[in-house]
Amino acid sequence: MKPDTTMVNAFDPTRTAGLAPEDRALIQRRGKALGPAYRLFYEEPLHLVRGEGVWLYDAQGNAWLDAYNNVASVGHSHPKVVEAISRQLATLNTHTRYLHEGVVSYAERLLATMPPEMGHMMFTCTGSEANDLALRIARSYTGRQGVIVTRLAYHGLTESVSEFSPSLGGFVQRGARVRLIDAPNALFVPPAEQGAKLAADLAKAIAEMRADGIEPAAFIVDTIFSSDGLYPDPAGFLKPAADLIRAEGGLFIADEVQPGFARTGDRFWGFQRHGITPDIVTMGKPMGNGFPVAGAAIRPEVVAEFGEKARYFNTFGGNPVASAAGMAVLDVIETEGLQQNAREIGAFLKQGLSEIVRGRDDIGDVRGAGLFLAMECVESQSTNKPNARLAGHIVNHLRRNGVLISATGPGANILKIRPPLVLQKPEATRFLEAISAAVAAA
Ligand code: PMP
């Protein structure tokens, strides 16, 4: 049976025996107050009260090494970000219909990290909203409706974006104008063929869409394919598909919510690893280190008519506090050299993981770029069949021993390792020791 991708690493609320009475009570109140759609992580949920750097703490003062959360990308509660937000909140917080230096400087600074073709920056509060806006702009610019995404993509939760976020599970219906293609696959497709295969699959999806009377408006991809199972390599494999959608009159939209803001170590943005200049770049998550800041960078010609005829206003998006948070994050990435740190510590982790799994038949692959790594658990290397049980074992063993990661992919068997970018050697070593023990105990 295929795993339910909406339940990967989810706590089973019927299994509260053995939990602390306070946590049991809170789980019950939570279920009652928030309703049935929410999930908690881990066999034993975690009750956190504080975070600092790469560490998270519970009420008893126990520490967990955070090797999962990419939102607090420059470290939990980073003092410079806290200070910037607090100062601006105590000074002025309005919206973007008044002149304010903050949003303009922040947009200029973000655009300076991109190819010169990306001329404008529009702000939202979430990645979902950024993708929703990108889609509206793409449809209005091309006068077309079709959208192509990868088979287990996640792009967000609005009505229109959930229609092309198949990782939400089969219950959330795929839109009639949406077509899915296979994500890259490190175990079944040789690296040198990855780019040609993706482009050929895209060409087929475009032809099938056209046979149904739908023209492609956009091909949208998370440029590191996080929910599909993490496929960073070989750098450059995305280019033939991006070139193809543009040659066919559609737009290439790079969803940078996951790989953006220096996580891959190589480059600041994931699309840059592939030598692409997108039409629209969407971003979010790490952008405000936990403060809701998101947005889209756009080629001017793509948004010209939309801007004139549709206007844009977002009550909270790009407000002075959001801009201060975003600016502080960029400052910290730069002053603390976090892109380089992601590259160096990421390489150290990848090397360490490769050594840990050497000789094990049930780990099919270790891959990653910078501080975004994956380890693929399989039944055996002869079949490479997903092994969700082993992945679940490792995730929960780590959790019991003070280290946080999670799992992803269509088989729920791919360990997702994605620490804050401030992770240093001693903590990385501690992580490797813990995962080594978890693998050995399997
Ligand atoms: N795109 C990608 C690739 C994401 O991973 C996510 C969030 N997991 C989103 C978009 C949506 O972002 P948000 O949760 O801020 O709406």
Side-chain angles (χ1 to χ4, degrees):
M1 207 178 70
K2 267 187 130 177
D4 176 355
T5 53
T6 68
M7 292 303 290
V8 178
N9 190 23
F11 167 65
D12 175 354
T14 64
R15 302 183 65 168
T16 54
L19 300 182
E22 316 81 77
D23 288 350
R24 227 169 15 205
L26 190 57
I27 288 167
Q28 206 173 33
R29 278 174 51 215
R30 189 179 191 272
K32 207 163 160 212
L34 306 187
Y38 286 81
R39 307 282 184 271
L40 286 162
F41 266 171
Y42 303 114
E43 285 165 4
E44 291 167 59
L46 208 55
H47 184 167
L48 300 170
V49 296
R50 192 169 74 78
E52 189 180 338
V54 293
W55 296 97
L56 289 164
Y57 298 88
D58 68 13
Q60 286 72 45
N62 297 310
W64 273 269
L65 177 59
D66 183 1
Y68 177 74
N69 287 293
N70 60 338
V71 170
S73 158
V74 301
H76 291 279
S77 308
H78 194 291
K80 291 232 169 73
V81 182
V82 172
E83 205 265 331
I85 291 173
S86 311
R87 188 165 13 95
Q88 188 56 50
L89 195 57
T91 308
L92 173 75
N93 199 18
T94 56
H95 52 78
T96 47
R97 281 170 163 163
Y98 303 110
L99 273 175
H100 192 268
E101 175 65 30
V103 69
V104 179
S105 316
Y106 182 44
E108 288 168 347
R109 178 114 178 249
L110 277 172
L111 291 169
T113 66
M114 300 234 171
E117 289 85 348
M118 309 310 297
H120 300 314
M121 192 59 227
M122 293 173 78
F123 291 102
T124 62
C125 306
T126 66
S128 301
E129 259 186 296
N131 283 324
D132 193 286
L133 177 66
L135 178 71
R136 285 177 62 212
I137 292 171
R139 283 184 168 153
S140 98
Y141 176 69
T142 59
R144 299 165 166 204
Q145 297 295 317
V147 178
I148 299 152
V149 296
T150 49
R151 207 162 295 287
L152 204 63
Y154 184 72
H155 295 290
L157 50 64
T158 68
E159 169 86 19
S160 59
V161 179
S162 64
E163 287 189 349
F164 60 90
S165 291
S167 86
L168 285 170
F171 180 78
V172 180
Q173 290 224 328
R174 173 164 63 82
R177 301 166 292 182
V178 177
R179 295 292 177 276
L180 309 183
I181 63 171
D182 287 344
N185 192 310
L187 295 184
F188 293 95
V189 181
E193 291 169 27
Q194 213 73 259
K197 163 131 187 350
L198 193 70
D201 289 349
L202 178 63
K204 197 156 153 255
I206 293 172
E208 285 169 4
M209 179 176 262
R210 285 192 168 135
D212 296 335
I214 301 163
E215 284 292 315
F219 175 44
I220 305 181
V221 282
D222 164 356
T223 62
I224 199 157
F225 300 90
S226 326
S227 54
D228 282 294
L230 196 78
Y231 298 102
D233 291 321
F237 77 76
L238 200 42
K239 188 162 184 344
D243 288 346
L244 175 71
I245 187 69
R246 303 189 77 214
E248 294 292 341
L251 300 189
F252 178 71
I253 302 176
D255 181 334
E256 290 287 335
V257 168
Q258 293 279 345
F261 294 91
R263 176 153 296 274
T264 68
D266 302 337
R267 308 295 295 267
F268 198 81
W269 300 106
F271 67 81
Q272 291 170 322
R273 299 182 67 250
H274 290 280
I276 301 169
T277 302
D279 295 293
I280 304 179
V281 178
T282 58
M283 60 193 82
K285 276 191 189 273
M287 204 167 166
N289 210 47
F291 194 90
V293 190
I298 313 172
R299 291 184 190 243
E301 64 274 21
V302 168
V303 71
E305 188 190 10
F306 181 93
E308 202 179 299
K309 297 185 177 159
R311 79 175 173 86
Y312 179 71
F313 175 61
N314 186 315
T315 302
F316 302 115
N319 72 28
V321 176
S323 300
M327 198 67 127
V329 168
L330 292 178
D331 283 340
V332 174
I333 292 174
E334 211 171 284
T335 55
E336 296 186 14
L338 294 185
Q339 186 173 324
Q340 190 180 339
N341 192 64
R343 184 165 59 236
E344 289 171 7
I345 304 294
F348 174 73
L349 282 181
K350 190 148 82 171
Q351 175 67 25
L353 289 171
S354 304
E355 281 162 23
I356 288 166
V357 307
R358 187 170 301 142
R360 280 199 77 109
D361 190 43
D362 53 0
I363 306 290
D365 193 27
V366 169
R367 55 181 175 267
L371 281 172
F372 204 155
L373 298 132
M375 202 163 107
E376 183 150 0
C377 302
V378 295
E379 295 295 343
S380 84
Q381 289 186 3
S382 55
T383 62
N384 279 331
K385 276 203 181 127
N387 187 341
R389 198 180 21 82
L390 175 59
H393 165 87
I394 296 173
V395 167
N396 284 290
H397 190 283
L398 283 171
R399 181 257 176 262
R400 286 192 299 276
N401 288 284
V403 176
L404 305 181
I405 65 164
S406 191
T408 188
N413 62 318
I414 300 168
L415 302 179
K416 182 153 105 178
I417 302 160
R418 199 184 46 181
L421 303 184
V422 289
L423 191 80
Q424 301 297 310
K425 254 298 181 37
E427 297 135 352
T429 303
R430 164 127 184 220
F431 171 81
L432 289 172
E433 285 162 5
I435 198 164
S436 178
V439 170

